[in-house]
Amino acid sequence: MSASFDKFVGTDKYIVSNALRDVVNVAIALGRPLLVKGEPGTGKTLLAHNIARGLGKELIIWNVKSTTKAKDGLYIYDTVQRLNDSRFGGGDVSDIKRYIHLGQLGVAFAHPDQPVLLIDEVDKADIEFPNDLLNELDEMSFFIPETGQTVKAQRRPIVVITSNSEKELPDAFLRRCVFHYIEFPDEELMRKIVGVHYPGLDENLLREVLKKFYWLREIDGFRKKPSTSELLDWIQALVAGGMSPDKIAKELPFAGALIKKEQDMEVLGAAAAGTGARLGLRSRW
């Protein structure tokens, strides 16, 4: 791999597996968008934040919604403002450039340095949305017909695209990306992640927390398994509530920090009954 670019190794706030670290650097070296999938709470969005932080680059975020169109990311021609200015004398309406506003993709292309561009939850938009970006992501440029201007990237942005697999992405789009599925952290990696957020956490407490957490994740029938972010919230609640390792071993204090659906609470109750476990789901402060 070429040594002509800064390599991502993670940050003090974001622990990466060797596989994720390597695929990030491959995407940067190839100048290809990195498409990241994984179950909610595995750090897909935070990856882009920490690539920017780790490499000392600006982060530009494009949050995709169901109504988002590909052109929105390039530029917007503010015809309403131009009309208002023509009616009320707000400026030189003949200068169309005054009414052209770059979207997040346009801002990334026009950036004087190499930014990190996060296209977050690409699968929320219409199925044609990824295809509509193909040419721009390939050429790293686009044309604005209203002004006759071409916006072209001087350096290819580092593009990170996240997907929650709500829709199948087109093959043509997938061919242009470097793909990685973030596997859920095993216990060893999770210990490192927890250590970043809660240094000095009591080892006995951590042992019981992880034992209970991974037991929960093995229960069949959950509509939403507890994620890393929920584990971190749970630990904060346990520490704030003064819960002991013995209490966590016998019960499930503050279960609402982990289990977010009523149906899953019912599944948990049935699983606990089947193993003979006694879970105090209503533990108080």
Coordinates of all heavy atoms in Angstrom, one line a residue, residues 31-90:
G31 N -9.1 5.8 -3.3 CA -9.9 7.0 -3.6 C -11.4 6.6 -3.9 O -12.1 7.2 -4.6
R32 N -11.8 5.5 -3.2 CA -13.1 5.0 -3.4 C -14.0 5.3 -2.1 O -13.5 5.3 -1.0 CB -13.1 3.5 -3.6 CG -12.5 3.0 -4.9 CD -13.4 3.1 -6.0 NE -12.9 2.5 -7.2 CZ -13.6 2.4 -8.4 NH1 -14.8 2.9 -8.4 NH2 -13.1 1.9 -9.4
P33 N -15.3 5.5 -2.3 CA -16.2 5.6 -1.1 C -16.1 4.3 -0.3 O -16.1 3.2 -0.9 CB -17.5 5.8 -1.7 CG -17.3 6.3 -3.1 CD -16.0 5.6 -3.6
L34 N -16.2 4.5 1.0 CA -16.3 3.4 1.9 C -17.7 3.2 2.3 O -18.3 4.1 3.0 CB -15.4 3.6 3.1 CG -15.5 2.5 4.3 CD1 -15.1 1.2 3.8 CD2 -14.6 2.9 5.5
L35 N -18.3 2.1 2.0 CA -19.7 1.8 2.3 C -19.6 0.9 3.6 O -19.1 -0.2 3.6 CB -20.4 1.1 1.2 CG -21.8 0.5 1.5 CD1 -22.8 1.7 1.9 CD2 -22.4 -0.3 0.3
V36 N -20.3 1.4 4.7 CA -20.2 0.7 5.9 C -21.6 0.2 6.4 O -22.5 1.1 6.4 CB -19.6 1.6 7.0 CG1 -19.5 0.8 8.3 CG2 -18.2 2.1 6.6
K37 N -21.7 -1.0 6.7 CA -23.0 -1.6 7.2 C -22.7 -2.2 8.6 O -21.6 -2.4 8.9 CB -23.6 -2.6 6.3 CG -24.1 -2.0 5.0 CD -24.9 -3.1 4.2 CE -25.5 -2.5 2.9 NZ -26.3 -3.5 2.2
G38 N -23.8 -2.5 9.3 CA -23.6 -3.1 10.6 C -24.9 -2.8 11.4 O -25.6 -1.8 11.1
E39 N -25.1 -3.6 12.4 CA -26.4 -3.4 13.1 C -26.3 -2.0 13.9 O -25.2 -1.5 14.1 CB -26.6 -4.5 14.1 CG -25.6 -4.7 15.2 CD -26.0 -5.8 16.2 OE1 -25.7 -7.0 15.9 OE2 -26.7 -5.5 17.2
P40 N -27.4 -1.4 14.2 CA -27.4 -0.1 14.9 C -26.5 -0.2 16.2 O -26.6 -1.2 16.9 CB -28.9 0.1 15.2 CG -29.6 -0.6 14.2 CD -28.8 -1.9 13.9
G41 N -25.8 0.9 16.4 CA -25.0 0.9 17.7 C -23.6 0.4 17.5 O -22.9 0.3 18.5
T42 N -23.2 0.0 16.3 CA -21.8 -0.5 16.2 C -20.8 0.5 15.7 O -19.7 0.2 15.5 CB -21.8 -1.7 15.1 OG1 -22.5 -1.3 13.9 CG2 -22.5 -2.9 15.7
G43 N -21.2 1.8 15.7 CA -20.3 2.9 15.4 C -20.1 3.3 14.0 O -19.0 3.8 13.6
K44 N -21.1 3.0 13.1 CA -20.9 3.3 11.7 C -20.7 4.8 11.5 O -19.8 5.3 10.8 CB -22.1 2.8 10.9 CG -22.3 1.4 11.0 CD -23.5 0.9 10.1 CE -24.8 1.4 10.4 NZ -25.3 1.0 11.8
T45 N -21.6 5.6 12.1 CA -21.5 7.1 11.9 C -20.3 7.6 12.6 O -19.6 8.5 12.1 CB -22.8 7.7 12.5 OG1 -23.9 7.3 11.7 CG2 -22.7 9.3 12.4
L46 N -20.0 7.1 13.8 CA -18.9 7.6 14.6 C -17.6 7.3 13.8 O -16.5 8.0 14.1 CB -18.8 7.0 16.0 CG -19.9 7.5 16.9 CD1 -19.8 6.8 18.3 CD2 -19.6 9.0 17.2
L47 N -17.5 6.3 13.0 CA -16.3 6.0 12.2 C -15.9 7.3 11.4 O -14.7 7.6 11.5 CB -16.6 4.8 11.3 CG -15.4 4.5 10.3 CD1 -14.1 4.1 11.1 CD2 -15.8 3.4 9.4
A48 N -16.8 7.9 10.7 CA -16.4 9.1 9.9 C -15.9 10.2 10.8 O -14.9 10.9 10.4 CB -17.6 9.5 9.1
H49 N -16.6 10.4 11.9 CA -16.1 11.4 12.8 C -14.7 11.2 13.3 O -13.9 12.1 13.4 CB -17.1 11.5 14.1 CG -18.4 12.0 13.8 ND1 -18.8 13.3 14.2 CD2 -19.5 11.5 13.2 CE1 -20.0 13.5 13.8 NE2 -20.5 12.5 13.2
N50 N -14.4 9.9 13.5 CA -13.1 9.6 14.1 C -12.0 9.5 13.0 O -10.8 9.7 13.3 CB -13.1 8.4 14.9 CG -13.7 8.7 16.3 OD1 -13.0 9.1 17.2 ND2 -15.0 8.5 16.4
I51 N -12.4 9.2 11.8 CA -11.4 9.3 10.7 C -11.0 10.8 10.5 O -9.8 11.1 10.4 CB -12.0 8.8 9.3 CG1 -12.2 7.3 9.4 CG2 -11.1 9.1 8.2 CD1 -13.0 6.7 8.2
A52 N -12.0 11.7 10.6 CA -11.6 13.1 10.5 C -10.8 13.5 11.6 O -9.8 14.2 11.5 CB -12.9 13.9 10.4
R53 N -11.1 13.1 12.8 CA -10.4 13.4 14.0 C -9.0 12.9 14.0 O -8.0 13.5 14.3 CB -11.1 13.0 15.3 CG -10.5 13.4 16.6 CD -11.5 13.1 17.7 NE -10.9 13.5 19.0 CZ -10.3 12.7 19.9 NH1 -10.2 11.4 19.5 NH2 -9.8 13.1 21.0
G54 N -8.9 11.6 13.6 CA -7.6 10.9 13.6 C -6.6 11.5 12.6 O -5.4 11.5 12.8
L55 N -7.2 11.9 11.4 CA -6.3 12.4 10.3 C -6.2 14.0 10.3 O -5.6 14.5 9.4 CB -6.8 11.9 9.0 CG -6.9 10.4 8.8 CD1 -7.4 10.0 7.4 CD2 -5.5 9.8 9.1
G56 N -6.9 14.6 11.3 CA -6.9 16.1 11.3 C -7.5 16.7 10.2 O -7.0 17.8 9.7
K57 N -8.7 16.2 9.7 CA -9.4 16.7 8.6 C -10.8 17.2 8.9 O -11.3 16.8 10.0 CB -9.5 15.7 7.5 CG -8.1 15.2 6.9 CD -8.2 14.2 5.8 CE -6.9 13.8 5.3 NZ -6.1 14.8 4.7
E58 N -11.3 18.1 8.1 CA -12.6 18.7 8.4 C -13.7 17.6 8.0 O -13.5 16.9 7.0 CB -12.9 19.9 7.6 CG -14.3 20.6 7.9 CD -14.5 21.9 7.1 OE1 -13.5 22.4 6.6 OE2 -15.6 22.3 7.0
L59 N -14.7 17.5 8.8 CA -15.8 16.6 8.6 C -17.0 17.3 8.0 O -17.5 18.3 8.6 CB -16.2 15.9 9.9 CG -17.4 14.9 9.8 CD1 -17.1 13.7 8.8 CD2 -17.8 14.4 11.1
I60 N -17.6 16.8 6.9 CA -18.8 17.4 6.3 C -19.8 16.3 6.3 O -19.6 15.2 5.9 CB -18.5 17.8 4.9 CG1 -17.4 18.9 4.8 CG2 -19.8 18.3 4.2 CD1 -16.9 19.3 3.4
I61 N -21.0 16.6 6.9 CA -22.0 15.6 7.1 C -23.2 15.9 6.2 O -23.8 16.9 6.2 CB -22.4 15.6 8.6 CG1 -21.3 15.3 9.5 CG2 -23.5 14.5 8.8 CD1 -21.6 15.5 11.0
W62 N -23.6 14.8 5.5 CA -24.8 14.9 4.7 C -25.8 13.8 5.3 O -25.6 12.6 5.0 CB -24.5 14.6 3.2 CG -25.7 14.7 2.3 CD1 -26.9 15.2 2.6 CD2 -25.7 14.4 0.9 NE1 -27.7 15.2 1.5 CE2 -27.0 14.7 0.4 CE3 -24.7 13.9 0.0 CZ2 -27.3 14.6 -0.9 CZ3 -25.1 13.8 -1.3 CH2 -26.3 14.1 -1.8
N63 N -26.7 14.3 6.1 CA -27.7 13.4 6.7 C -28.8 13.1 5.6 O -29.6 14.1 5.3 CB -28.3 14.0 7.9 CG -27.3 14.0 9.1 OD1 -26.7 13.1 9.4 ND2 -27.1 15.2 9.7
V64 N -29.0 11.9 5.2 CA -29.9 11.6 4.1 C -31.3 11.3 4.8 O -31.4 10.6 5.8 CB -29.4 10.4 3.3 CG1 -30.5 9.9 2.3 CG2 -28.1 10.7 2.7
K65 N -32.3 11.8 4.2 CA -33.7 11.6 4.6 C -34.5 11.0 3.5 O -34.0 10.8 2.4 CB -34.4 12.9 5.0 CG -33.6 13.6 6.1 CD -34.3 15.0 6.5 CE -33.5 15.7 7.6 NZ -34.1 17.0 7.9
S66 N -35.8 10.6 3.8 CA -36.6 9.9 2.7 C -36.9 10.9 1.6 O -37.1 10.4 0.5 CB -37.9 9.5 3.4 OG -38.6 10.6 3.9
T67 N -36.8 12.2 1.8 CA -37.1 13.1 0.7 C -35.9 13.7 0.1 O -36.0 14.5 -0.9 CB -37.9 14.3 1.3 OG1 -37.1 14.9 2.4 CG2 -39.2 13.9 1.9
T68 N -34.7 13.2 0.5 CA -33.4 13.7 -0.1 C -33.3 13.3 -1.5 O -33.5 12.2 -1.9 CB -32.2 13.3 0.7 OG1 -32.4 13.7 2.1 CG2 -30.9 13.8 0.2
K69 N -32.8 14.3 -2.4 CA -32.5 14.0 -3.8 C -31.0 14.2 -4.0 O -30.4 15.0 -3.3 CB -33.3 14.9 -4.7 CG -34.8 14.9 -4.6 CD -35.3 13.5 -4.9 CE -36.8 13.4 -4.8 NZ -37.4 12.0 -5.0
A70 N -30.4 13.5 -4.9 CA -29.0 13.6 -5.1 C -28.6 15.0 -5.5 O -27.5 15.5 -5.0 CB -28.6 12.6 -6.3
K71 N -29.4 15.7 -6.2 CA -29.0 17.1 -6.6 C -28.9 18.0 -5.4 O -28.2 19.0 -5.4 CB -30.0 17.6 -7.6 CG -29.6 19.0 -8.2 CD -30.6 19.5 -9.2 CE -30.2 20.8 -9.8 NZ -31.2 21.4 -10.7
D72 N -29.7 17.7 -4.3 CA -29.6 18.5 -3.1 C -28.2 18.6 -2.6 O -27.8 19.6 -1.9 CB -30.5 18.0 -2.0 CG -32.0 18.0 -2.4 OD1 -32.3 18.7 -3.3 OD2 -32.7 17.2 -1.8
G73 N -27.4 17.5 -2.7 CA -26.1 17.5 -2.2 C -25.1 18.2 -3.1 O -24.0 18.5 -2.7
L74 N -25.5 18.5 -4.3 CA -24.6 19.2 -5.3 C -24.8 20.7 -5.1 O -23.8 21.4 -4.6 CB -24.9 18.9 -6.7 CG -24.8 17.4 -7.0 CD1 -25.1 17.1 -8.5 CD2 -23.4 16.8 -6.7
Y75 N -26.0 21.2 -5.4 CA -26.2 22.7 -5.2 C -27.7 22.9 -5.2 O -28.5 22.1 -5.6 CB -25.6 23.5 -6.3 CG -26.2 23.4 -7.6 CD1 -27.2 24.3 -8.1 CD2 -25.9 22.4 -8.5 CE1 -27.8 24.2 -9.3 CE2 -26.5 22.2 -9.7 CZ -27.4 23.2 -10.1 OH -28.0 23.1 -11.4
I76 N -28.1 24.1 -4.7 CA -29.5 24.5 -4.7 C -29.5 25.9 -5.3 O -28.8 26.8 -5.0 CB -30.1 24.6 -3.3 CG1 -30.1 23.2 -2.6 CG2 -31.5 25.2 -3.3 CD1 -30.5 23.2 -1.2
Y77 N -30.4 26.0 -6.3 CA -30.7 27.3 -6.9 C -31.9 28.0 -6.2 O -33.0 27.5 -6.3 CB -30.9 27.1 -8.4 CG -31.3 28.4 -9.2 CD1 -30.9 29.6 -8.8 CD2 -32.0 28.3 -10.4 CE1 -31.2 30.8 -9.5 CE2 -32.4 29.4 -11.1 CZ -32.0 30.6 -10.7 OH -32.3 31.8 -11.4
D78 N -31.6 29.0 -5.5 CA -32.6 29.7 -4.7 C -33.4 30.6 -5.5 O -33.3 31.9 -5.4 CB -32.0 30.4 -3.5 CG -32.9 30.8 -2.4 OD1 -34.2 30.7 -2.7 OD2 -32.5 31.1 -1.3
T79 N -34.4 30.1 -6.2 CA -35.2 30.9 -7.1 C -36.2 31.8 -6.3 O -36.6 32.9 -6.7 CB -36.1 30.0 -8.0 OG1 -36.8 29.0 -7.2 CG2 -35.1 29.2 -9.0
V80 N -36.6 31.3 -5.1 CA -37.5 32.1 -4.3 C -36.9 33.4 -3.8 O -37.4 34.5 -3.9 CB -38.0 31.2 -3.0 CG1 -38.8 32.1 -2.1 CG2 -38.8 30.0 -3.5
Q81 N -35.6 33.3 -3.4 CA -34.9 34.5 -2.9 C -34.7 35.4 -4.1 O -34.8 36.6 -3.9 CB -33.5 34.1 -2.3 CG -32.8 35.3 -1.7 CD -33.5 36.0 -0.6 OE1 -34.0 35.3 0.4 NE2 -33.8 37.3 -0.7
R82 N -34.4 34.9 -5.2 CA -34.1 35.7 -6.4 C -35.4 36.5 -6.8 O -35.4 37.6 -7.2 CB -33.7 34.9 -7.6 CG -33.2 35.7 -8.8 CD -32.7 34.9 -9.9 NE -32.2 35.7 -11.0 CZ -32.1 35.4 -12.3 NH1 -32.6 34.2 -12.6 NH2 -31.7 36.2 -13.2
L83 N -36.6 35.8 -6.7 CA -37.8 36.4 -7.0 C -38.1 37.5 -6.0 O -38.6 38.6 -6.4 CB -38.9 35.3 -7.0 CG -40.4 35.8 -7.2 CD1 -40.5 36.5 -8.5 CD2 -41.4 34.7 -7.0
N84 N -37.9 37.2 -4.7 CA -38.1 38.2 -3.7 C -37.2 39.5 -3.9 O -37.7 40.6 -3.8 CB -37.9 37.7 -2.3 CG -38.9 36.7 -1.9 OD1 -40.1 36.8 -2.4 ND2 -38.6 35.9 -0.9
D85 N -36.0 39.2 -4.3 CA -35.1 40.3 -4.5 C -35.5 41.2 -5.8 O -35.3 42.4 -5.8 CB -33.6 39.8 -4.8 CG -33.0 39.3 -3.5 OD1 -33.6 39.6 -2.4 OD2 -31.9 38.7 -3.5
S86 N -36.0 40.5 -6.8 CA -36.5 41.2 -8.0 C -37.7 42.1 -7.6 O -37.9 43.1 -8.2 CB -36.8 40.2 -9.1 OG -37.9 39.4 -8.8
R87 N -38.5 41.6 -6.7 CA -39.7 42.3 -6.3 C -39.5 43.5 -5.4 O -40.1 44.5 -5.4 CB -40.8 41.4 -5.7 CG -41.3 40.3 -6.7 CD -42.3 39.4 -6.0 NE -43.4 40.1 -5.4 CZ -44.3 39.5 -4.6 NH1 -44.1 38.2 -4.2 NH2 -45.3 40.2 -4.1
F88 N -38.5 43.2 -4.4 CA -38.3 44.2 -3.4 C -37.0 44.9 -3.4 O -36.6 45.5 -2.4 CB -38.5 43.5 -2.0 CG -39.8 42.8 -1.9 CD1 -39.9 41.4 -1.8 CD2 -41.0 43.6 -1.8 CE1 -41.1 40.8 -1.7 CE2 -42.3 42.9 -1.7 CZ -42.3 41.5 -1.6
G89 N -36.2 44.7 -4.5 CA -35.0 45.4 -4.7 C -33.9 44.9 -3.7 O -33.2 45.7 -3.1
G90 N -33.7 43.6 -3.6 CA -32.8 43.1 -2.6 C -31.4 42.9 -3.2 O -30.5 42.4 -2.4

